[in-house]
Amino acid sequence: MRAKRISTGAAVAVGALAAVSLAFAPSALAVTPQSATITADCGSFGGGQATLTATQDGTAATITVTSAITAPIALSQDSISSTLTLVDASGGSTAFTGTRNPAMAAGDPVTVGPLSGTVASGDSLEAYGGSLQMTVFGITITCTATGPQSPGPFVFD
């Protein structure tokens, strides 16, 4: 009988520990897909395939863009001011902004981000219909998607 009480007590303790662990576990929010590609047109600066990578932490989200253009000269870290505007399936838009970028050598693909924005649960955001504006040395470069992103819009939890 004593063994039964010990095993019952152990089971209750394990169950209580599991419940407490779940209560203090961080909420698992995810954006899907985490990465998407677009074909971008950046006017006289060129164009081609660009990759967007998204993350989410609650209502805060970030997107990093490896653009379709290359750096004409070496660029120092955090020297590009960027605004990525994505359109929502409901007709609105969300801006992701920042001045974050890695240092780049001449000829490297231009990468900006992570750019920060605010999202709501269920937001479905797409690059097609939006734009990426990058300001480098006072020159603004605007890139637009020529078609929908693949594999589809970013959907935030």
Side-chain angles (χ1 to χ4, degrees):
M1 189 60 123
R2 185 166 197 245
K4 185 176 180 180
R5 277 186 283 177
I6 290 175
S7 63
T8 301
V12 169
V14 168
L17 183 59
V20 168
S21 296
L22 285 174
F24 289 107
S27 59
L29 296 176
V31 56
T32 54
Q34 292 179 331
S35 181
T37 58
I38 60 169
T39 300
D41 177 5
C42 301
S44 61
F45 294 97
Q49 189 173 49
T51 303
L52 291 76
T53 306
T55 64
Q56 179 183 7
D57 184 8
T59 60
T62 63
I63 297 183
T64 300
V65 181
T66 302
S67 76
I69 59 175
T70 57
I73 60 172
L75 299 169
S76 61
Q77 181 177 348
D78 300 335
S79 62
I80 303 172
S81 177
S82 304
T83 299
L84 173 67
T85 303
L86 300 179
V87 295
D88 192 296
S90 65
S93 64
T94 300
F96 294 82
T97 61
T99 55
R100 307 249 346 245
N101 63 272
M104 291 167 262
D108 284 352
V110 174
T111 299
V112 294
L115 306 176
S116 301
T118 302
V119 297
S121 181
D123 278 356
S124 178
L125 302 176
E126 162 75 60
Y128 186 51
S131 67
L132 171 63
Q133 289 190 328
M134 301 175 284
T135 303
V136 184
F137 303 122
I139 300 167
T140 299
I141 302 162
T142 301
C143 299
T144 57
T146 60
Q149 68 188 42
S150 177
F154 293 116
V155 179
F156 295 88
D157 282 345

